[in-house]
């Protein structure tokens, strides 16, 4: 039985793990990617936009791309070019993008898309939440047509950018606070699952054999510093896409999450997992993932793209 295609908007900062996530989402039969919006994060927004246009062109998809914020709401951008390379997608020489970005800002494009949709849209931010926070602040009426936010970000335990904070919520903690206070249902796919859901040599050697697409990914994997080909590659953003189509891969818990805004834990997502301090919840947090099933899911979805 073919499921109804789920309308989604992906907010992204490619980023090599973003590239894998976008590739699966753009080609998945159950997902209707209505819009891609870009934001500063892994690298600057000019590069994340160019990278998104290159991917849309590579897969010959007619999906609109809109460029978003070039810096966090209040603080300076700290990128992670050391993980993804200076271009943000080092390792593969993509053909020049044929697609062009819309001439409106990502926030305007999201507002238009959401308000004109006949069914509620799922927002899938896999980057800092700057665009999302501005959308909800400038156009609160969009909330009524947003089904939920399924985000890669945050952590219930250690961080990957400071001791406690994951990169996406670290980059723009003020935006993260606005989003978690919005009242919109949120699924937080954080480091607790994304740092364990590795692509090992078993998977990357299979992917390498998938023709032009496999060659592209394997070339990127050789430059990606979110792990390594030898120790396993962390597919952070891909986990958010997996949640959309296969939520049963995940173990989740309803909780209340607050954001630390400054100090040594700035950007940390502080979860009241025992609900000692709150009498209501604002997020579904992912605690665990079926790693072998996830690995199989990634390989089979990339193989289908060919
Ligand atoms: O912490 C991992 C997240 O930060 C991923 O979205 C990765 O692409 C980077 O943006
Ligand atoms: Ca990302």
């Amino acid at each position: 039985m073919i499921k109804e295609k789920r309308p989604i908007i992906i907010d992204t900062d490619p980023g090599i793990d973003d590239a894998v996530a976008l590739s699966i989402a753009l080609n998945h039969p159950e997902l209707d990617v209505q819009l891609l919006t870009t934001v500063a994060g892994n690298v600057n927004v000019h590069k994340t936009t160019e990278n998104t246009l290159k991917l849309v062109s590579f897969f010959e998809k007619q999906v609109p791309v809109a460029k978003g914020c070039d810096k966090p709401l209040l603080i300076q951008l700290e990128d992670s070019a050391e993980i993804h390379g200076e271009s943000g997608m080092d390792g593969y020489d993509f053909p020049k993008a044929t697609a062009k970005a819309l001439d409106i800002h990502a926030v305007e494009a999201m507002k238009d898309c959401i308000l004109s949709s006949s069914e509620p849209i799922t927002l899938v931010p896999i980057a800092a939440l700057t665009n999302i926070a501005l959308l909800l602040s400038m156009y609160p009426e969009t909330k009524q047509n947003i089904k939920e936010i399924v985000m890669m970000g945050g952590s219930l335990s250690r961080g990957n950018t400071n001791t406690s904070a994951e990169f996406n919520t670290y980059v723009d903690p003020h935006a993260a606070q606005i989003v978690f206070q919005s009242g919109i249902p949120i699924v937080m796919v954080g480091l607790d699952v994304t740092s364990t859901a590795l692509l090992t040599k078993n998977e990357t050697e299979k992917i390498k054999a998938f023709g032009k697409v496999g060659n592209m990914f394997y070339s990127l994997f050789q430059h990606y510093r979110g792990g390594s080909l030898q120790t396993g590659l962390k597919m952070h953003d891909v986990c958010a896409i997996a949640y959309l189509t296969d939520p049963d891969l995940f173990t989740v818990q309803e909780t209340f999450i607050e954001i630390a805004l400054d100090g040594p834990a700035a950007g940390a997502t502080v979860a009241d997992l025992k609900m000692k301090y709150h009498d209501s919840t604002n997020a579904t947090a992912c605690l665990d993932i079926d790693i072998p099933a996830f690995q199989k899911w990634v390989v089979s979805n990339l193989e289908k793209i060919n």
Side-chain angles (χ1 to χ4, degrees):
M1 183 264 284
I2 293 281
K3 288 185 198 171
E4 274 295 299
K5 273 185 173 264
R6 180 174 186 169
I8 66 173
I9 295 173
I10 303 178
D11 192 68
T12 184
D13 62 341
I16 289 173
D17 61 322
D18 299 69
V20 184
L22 294 181
S23 303
I24 292 175
L26 287 168
N27 292 283
H28 198 291
E30 295 171 22
L31 298 176
D32 173 13
V33 184
Q34 302 226 333
L35 172 66
L36 295 173
T37 52
T38 62
V39 69
N42 284 320
V43 287
N44 72 45
V45 72
H46 310 290
K47 294 178 180 176
T48 61
T49 304
E50 187 54 31
N51 291 339
T52 304
L53 291 168
K54 282 179 176 174
L55 288 164
V56 165
S57 304
F58 182 86
F59 292 111
E60 298 175 357
K61 297 293 180 182
Q62 306 304 317
V63 175
V65 176
K67 182 175 173 185
C69 294
D70 63 359
K71 69 176 290 293
L73 295 181
L74 298 180
I75 60 178
Q76 287 309 306
L77 174 67
E78 284 183 40
D79 73 22
S80 61
E82 74 282 0
I83 303 288
H84 303 270
E86 276 311 306
S87 72
M89 281 195 322
D90 277 15
Y92 185 77
D93 186 14
F94 285 89
K96 189 167 167 30
T98 51
K100 296 273 180 271
L102 298 178
D103 58 8
I104 56 173
H105 191 280
V107 171
E108 301 300 325
M110 281 196 278
K111 179 260 291 180
D112 293 346
C113 177
I114 293 165
L115 294 183
S116 63
S117 175
S118 59
E119 59 178 294
I121 298 271
T122 296
L123 299 184
V124 187
I126 53 176
L129 291 165
T130 316
N131 289 337
I132 310 298
L134 277 183
L135 170 78
L136 302 179
S137 304
M138 291 168 63
Y139 300 108
E141 66 273 24
T142 57
K143 291 184 185 179
Q144 68 198 357
N145 211 27
I146 294 171
K147 177 183 171 62
E148 62 180 341
I149 295 172
V150 178
M151 61 175 279
M152 191 280 138
S155 172
L156 303 174
S157 45
R158 295 283 302 272
N160 62 355
T161 311
N162 62 32
T163 310
S164 312
E166 177 278 327
F167 179 76
N168 289 337
T169 52
Y170 172 84
V171 165
D172 197 338
H174 303 92
Q177 184 180 59
I178 290 170
V179 173
F180 277 87
Q181 290 179 346
S182 68
I184 298 170
I186 294 172
V187 176
M188 188 180 92
V189 186
L191 294 180
D192 316 89
V193 301
T194 71
S195 289
T196 64
L198 304 180
L199 291 189
T200 69
K201 278 188 86 61
N202 182 44
E203 290 79 47
T204 54
E205 287 304 308
K206 286 177 185 163
I207 293 167
K208 185 178 178 182
F210 293 163
K212 172 186 158 194
V213 170
N215 172 52
M216 181 266 279
F217 283 122
Y218 199 81
S219 306
L220 293 176
F221 290 163
Q222 289 174 304
H223 285 74
Y224 180 47
R225 294 294 173 267
S228 72
L229 280 169
Q230 290 66 38
T231 60
L233 298 168
K234 298 176 185 177
M235 291 288 108
H236 300 289
D237 294 336
V238 181
C239 294
I241 307 303
Y243 185 91
L244 294 172
T245 64
D246 292 70
D248 294 345
L249 294 179
F250 297 80
T251 305
V252 302
Q253 179 178 332
E254 302 300 314
T255 185
F256 194 97
I257 289 173
E258 295 182 45
I259 310 296
L261 295 180
D262 47 32
T269 46
V270 184
D272 183 6
L273 289 176
K274 295 191 185 301
M275 293 305 290
K276 285 180 65 172
Y277 305 96
H278 301 89
D279 52 14
S280 65
T281 63
N282 68 346
T284 301
C286 292
L287 306 178
D288 204 355
I289 187 170
D290 179 339
I291 297 173
F294 170 76
Q295 292 165 332
K296 199 158 159 265
W297 179 88
V298 174
V299 171
S300 105
N301 275 288
L302 291 184
E303 186 171 26
K304 285 177 198 156
I305 295 177
N306 266 312

